[in-house]
Amino acid sequence: MLILGIETSCDETAVGIVRDGRELRANVIASQAALHAAHGGVVPELASRQHIRDLQPTLQRALADAGVALADVDAVAVTHGPGLAGALISGVNTAKALAMTLNVPLLGVNHLEGHIYAAWLAASGPGRAPAPSPAPSNEPGFPLACLVASGGHTDLILMEGHGDYRLVGRTRDDAAGEAFDKAARVLGLGFPGGPEIQRAAESLAAFTEVDDSPGTRRAQAATPLPRAWMRDTLDFSFSGVKTALLHRAQDVGLYPPSESIDQDADRLVAQLAREFQESLVDVMTAKLLTMAERYQARGLILGGGVTANARLRQRVRADSPLPVVIPPPALCTDNGAMIAAGAFYQYQRGDIADLSLDVDPSLPFGQPA
Ligand code: KG4
Ligand code: ZN
């Protein structure tokens, strides 16, 4: 079954084509990052308008990449929430028009469910390298402990079967991705902030080799930032570490940014980026492993833009006694293939939409624990 998946919930216009929920045939993403970078964050009106411009060319490229015609498509899937209302509408309307014209089923997929199903995509499409971690073809079995960490969510989901989700933990304030984006802004780095923080943190190694005699500011910068453990709950809170980072940046003279030459600035930024990343990675890794143990999970799945983070991937793989599936970074950030993959299992459950499908910007995911 060949499913076309459309994703426009935020700032990526994305179309993926997937056979039988696993075989990745095409995954084309038109990123709007450059458009929003000038504003330091996603501007909803600009996003909606750009989706409308990019949808047709993205669709055409996906069909060409997959080497299929529209007539070969067996079902059309689309993200209908959560996300930005105007952005979601562009994708949903396009999907409806396609499903109606082709006379094939329409599937409305939850964006967060899509992030989990990226783990089912074996990167076996034409010209693609094999997946770096075993996709759950060697399925460890249910239940699976899933961390979905993105710009809008940081959720711990217990997946007890296809389509069967329990929300056992979530952030009480900022999402992890949002915290990364805000931290990057404080440190004068670009947007989106996650990859910038990662890059800055990785650059620290180069500095240490040149000179390892810590001055006062350096010692200050190298002190660990706080971790919010939220007692023994599985919830997260990232607003405290965000504020702590701002204060630290002020203390070492990085914030507010000044024009004067500061020889040490790049190194201090790298050190603070590293401390910030370590705080978030520590908490996310520990909570995910606690959850897995508490619910006797048989494996772990990571999904969402933040799980593209190299340090997080490394830590979870190193610390987990259970099998771990983490999609390649390009399938962790928003894409259409994950929507097509999730839709395949949804189709099998008979959960098919009709032309009354509407967007829901705050579409919930998972039964509360
Ligand atoms: O899932 P996603 O692409 O879009 C949403 O559903 O929100 O996630 C986007 C978020 C952004 O906040 C971005 O900064 C973060 O994922 N992100 C990262 C990395 N790559 C993207 N965060 C940390 N490290 C990364 N390498
Ligand atoms: Zn996402």
Side-chain angles (χ1 to χ4, degrees), residues 7 9-12 82 111-112 115 148-153 175-181 191-199 277 284 303-312 329 332-335 338:
E7 154 61 43
S9 68
C10 190
D11 61 342
E12 324 276 7
H111 182 77
L112 304 172
H115 273 308
V148 180
S150 67
H153 292 81
E178 192 181 355
F180 270 110
D181 293 339
F191 172 86
E196 295 288 328
I197 295 276
Q198 180 184 322
R199 208 170 303 131
Q277 179 175 271
M284 285 190 284
V306 174
T307 68
N309 184 271
R311 181 68 177 145
L312 177 65
C332 289
T333 44
D334 289 351
N335 65 85
M338 69 186 198

Side-chain angles (χ1 to χ4, degrees), residues 14-357:
V15 178
I17 299 176
V18 175
R19 189 177 294 284
D20 297 336
R22 309 188 69 99
E23 188 192 328
L24 183 60
R25 297 295 304 267
N27 194 31
V28 180
I29 298 159
S31 172
Q32 302 178 0
L35 177 69
H36 300 290
H39 305 275
V42 178
V43 183
E45 290 78 7
L46 293 182
S48 318
R49 213 180 313 151
Q50 196 60 34
H51 283 310
I52 294 167
R53 286 196 193 104
D54 286 340
L55 264 161
Q56 280 307 322
T58 308
L59 171 66
Q60 294 308 328
R61 261 196 60 204
L63 292 167
D65 276 13
V68 299
L70 262 183
D72 298 323
V73 169
D74 298 309
V76 178
V78 63
T79 305
H80 68 117
L84 302 169
L88 289 164
I89 287 171
S90 328
V92 167
N93 284 346
T94 302
K96 282 184 188 174
L98 281 170
M100 193 167 66
T101 324
L102 299 171
N103 197 22
V104 296
L106 172 71
L107 295 130
V109 177
N110 187 305
H111 182 77
L112 304 172
E113 184 173 15
H115 273 308
I116 290 177
Y117 273 98
W120 265 260
L121 285 166
S124 59
R128 290 179 197 280
S133 56
S137 47
N138 327 309
E139 232 165 77
F142 296 111
L144 291 163
C146 311
L147 167 68
V148 180
S150 67
H153 292 81
T154 310
D155 289 346
L156 288 174
I157 304 280
L158 185 71
M159 184 178 184
E160 300 187 280
H162 292 289
D164 185 355
Y165 313 99
R166 221 176 342 149
L167 178 66
V168 299
R170 60 191 185 71
T171 182
R172 303 222 183 140
D173 39 57
D174 289 3
E178 192 181 355
F180 270 110
D181 293 339
K182 288 176 180 168
R185 217 173 305 157
V186 165
L187 296 178
L189 303 170
F191 172 86
E196 295 288 328
I197 295 276
Q198 180 184 322
R199 208 170 303 131
E202 286 167 353
S203 76
L204 188 63
F207 290 108
T208 317
E209 273 172 28
V210 178
D211 178 4
D212 61 0
S213 56
T216 316
R217 291 165 77 206
R218 287 189 201 163
Q220 232 173 339
T223 309
L225 287 165
R227 277 105 173 109
W229 292 113
M230 311 299 285
R231 297 179 306 282
D232 64 347
T233 72
L234 292 172
D235 286 347
F236 300 96
S237 166
F238 298 118
S239 68
V241 63
K242 187 189 64 184
T243 309
L245 175 82
L246 175 62
H247 291 156
R248 187 72 60 80
Q250 287 167 335
D251 290 348
V252 301
L254 284 177
Y255 193 90
S258 83
E259 294 295 311
S260 64
I261 309 280
D262 182 343
Q263 301 287 2
D264 234 9
D266 287 349
R267 183 198 180 110
L268 293 169
V269 166
Q271 185 75 56
L272 286 187
R274 197 194 95 98
E275 296 311 327
F276 185 81
Q277 179 175 271
E278 285 301 301
S279 171
L280 268 68
V281 166
D282 251 9
V283 178
M284 285 190 284
T285 306
K287 295 258 172 199
L288 176 60
L289 295 183
T290 303
M291 169 203 173
E293 200 185 331
R294 209 173 275 179
Y295 290 94
Q296 296 172 342
R298 297 174 66 177
L300 307 182
I301 287 182
L302 268 62
V306 174
T307 68
N309 184 271
R311 181 68 177 145
L312 177 65
R313 301 163 76 89
Q314 178 196 43
R315 278 289 304 279
V316 173
R317 286 204 178 103
D319 293 1
S320 173
L322 299 170
V324 180
V325 184
I326 315 178
L331 291 173
C332 289
T333 44
D334 289 351
N335 65 85
M338 69 186 198
I339 301 303
F344 176 72
Y345 295 89
Q346 195 169 319
Y347 178 80
Q348 291 185 326
R349 299 195 290 275
D351 187 359
I352 296 165
D354 57 31
L355 294 180
S356 68
L357 177 71

